Every structure is written in C-alpha cells, then in structure tokens.
Amino acid sequence: MGKAKRPSRPIKDVRRVFDIQDYLRYKSERNYVLFVLGITTGYRAGDLVELKIRDVREAIRRGKFEILEGKKKNSKNIREKNRKPREAIILPELERELKKYIKNKKDYEYMFPSRKGKGRNHIQVDRVSEIIKEAAEYFDMDEITAHSMRKTYAYTVYMQNDCDVIAVKEMLGHSSIEETKVYLGLDREKYHQYSQALRGLIR
C-alpha cells in the first residue's frame, strides 16, 4: 500500500504569506494574482481557475464574488448536486490587484490561462499545487498545496475574530461546526497543548 496522502496545511505565519506572495510576484503575475485571490476569498482552486475575465469584471462592479462551490466528485468534473453560491467580499487591496491584472484583457479570456493551448484553456489545479508547493519549499515549508490557500483564509478568519468557529463555518459554507473544527485542525492543536501538561509526570 502507498503512503496516505497528508492533508494540506494553512500558512499560519503572515510573514510566510508575504514571502510566498513576493516569490510568486517575481515569477509570474498570473500565479501571484491567483494566490492572493485564493487567500482572501477562500474559494477552492478548482472554482478559481474556471473564472473568466468577464466574471471578475462583474464581481468588481458588484463588490463581491458569488460562486457556486462544490468539490469535484470524479475525473469527469461532475459536481455535487448540493452546490450553493457563497459570497466573498472584494477587499480594496484585492480590487486594486485584480483591476491591474485584467486591464487590457478580453472578456472571454480565462483569468488564469494555461501556458499550453495559447490561453484557450485554464491552468489545472494540479499545476496550481505544484506552483505553490515550489514557492513554499523555497522557504522550507511542507504540506502546502493549492488547498492551502483556502485553509489559510479559514485560519486567518478564525484567529482574527476571537477564534469564532461559527463565523468560519458560515464563511466557508460548511454544513456543521464539527466539519470546520476538523478543517482547521483545532482538535490536533488542542490535544497537543493538553498533552504538554503530562510532562510534569516525569522527573
């Protein structure tokens, strides 16, 4: 049997978030914009890569994104039936970067085109993971993938709002608080913290 796939981690240190932003910015404007869009909206990479320029222009006009989210069920790209729209406010800093990026681009173009196919296809999620993993490894970080963008969004909302799990649940569109706790890895952190009390049992 192969090794179990380890879940992706959030980027908890904001300095590392800035490091990855800078790394990606110098390498590729496309990759940089995708990263900042991911960490400030919490949308899955699979939903972000399907955006076209017209979608983003409309979102900027409205001041928010509204995307029908849903995990991919299989390789045929069939979505779950219970997809529902989730809103994400476009922050002023994000709006600035988006406007700069889409300037002079055509409405029918993909926001994040693949290098292959002359831009007629969007970048694939696996490639997004490779790009972000490469940046993270440069700074000696592991278990960072495309999904880390969404997890970073969730963890930041949690930490900046008095550890409000309910707020994170609503902002992620989760069906239960337990799902959100597992997603944030709170149980692991809590158990590790509690376990430290046992050190006093050994002289």
Side-chain angles (χ1 to χ4, degrees), residues 83-95:
R83 292 181 72 197
K84 55 184 179 180
R86 181 174 71 81
E87 291 185 358
I89 300 299
I90 298 179
L91 302 169
E93 295 82 1
L94 176 61
E95 180 179 348

Side-chain angles (χ1 to χ4, degrees), residues 16-49:
R16 288 306 192 200
V17 174
F18 293 155
D19 284 341
I20 290 179
Q21 282 184 47
D22 289 340
Y23 182 94
L24 294 175
R25 192 202 306 261
Y26 288 119
K27 292 272 186 176
S28 163
E29 185 183 19
R30 179 199 66 180
N31 299 343
Y32 163 72
V33 172
L34 176 55
F35 181 73
V36 295
L37 183 59
I39 62 175
T40 57
T41 65
Y43 286 121
R44 293 180 177 87
D47 292 313
L48 294 178
V49 297

Side-chain angles (χ1 to χ4, degrees), residues 156-168:
T156 303
V157 169
Y158 175 74
M159 294 302 295
Q160 295 296 322
N161 291 279
D162 298 322
C163 301
D164 188 343
V165 178
I166 295 176
V168 180

Side-chain angles (χ1 to χ4, degrees), residues 35-181:
F35 181 73
V36 295
L37 183 59
I39 62 175
T40 57
T41 65
Y43 286 121
R44 293 180 177 87
D47 292 313
L48 294 178
V49 297
E50 294 179 356
L51 289 171
K52 292 201 170 184
I53 299 297
R54 61 171 171 262
D55 301 322
V56 175
R57 287 201 169 108
E58 175 62 15
I60 291 173
R61 187 186 69 79
R62 298 175 62 199
K64 63 183 179 182
F65 284 97
E66 188 171 336
I67 295 179
L68 288 170
E69 293 186 300
K71 295 179 181 178
K72 302 287 180 67
K73 287 189 70 176
N74 55 39
S75 60
K76 293 182 180 179
N77 198 27
I78 298 174
R79 302 283 191 155
E80 293 179 345
K81 292 181 179 179
N82 63 346
R83 292 181 72 197
K84 55 184 179 180
R86 181 174 71 81
E87 291 185 358
I89 300 299
I90 298 179
L91 302 169
E93 295 82 1
L94 176 61
E95 180 179 348
R96 179 192 66 217
E97 296 302 320
L98 291 176
K99 283 183 173 179
K100 188 164 56 175
Y101 179 70
I102 67 175
K103 187 178 180 181
N104 300 325
K105 287 185 168 57
K106 298 178 177 64
D107 282 348
Y108 58 79
E109 294 178 25
Y110 280 108
M111 270 291 284
F112 309 110
S114 169
R115 303 290 189 218
K116 301 174 182 178
K118 298 181 180 179
R120 289 191 294 268
N121 302 311
H122 60 72
I123 189 173
Q124 298 299 306
V125 174
D126 286 347
R127 179 57 186 146
V128 178
S129 281
E130 290 173 2
I131 289 166
I132 294 177
K133 181 180 179 182
E134 174 191 296
E137 287 180 344
Y138 183 86
F139 299 104
D140 296 321
M141 301 167 64
D142 58 10
E143 295 172 38
I144 303 298
T145 70
H147 203 59
S148 294
M149 296 187 293
R150 180 170 163 88
K151 287 199 169 186
T152 299
Y153 165 88
Y155 185 81
T156 303
V157 169
Y158 175 74
M159 294 302 295
Q160 295 296 322
N161 291 279
D162 298 322
C163 301
D164 188 343
V165 178
I166 295 176
V168 180
K169 169 188 172 295
E170 294 300 319
M171 292 181 78
L172 286 175
H174 282 169
S175 58
S176 71
I177 290 178
E178 291 308 311
E179 180 184 1
T180 306
K181 286 180 178 178

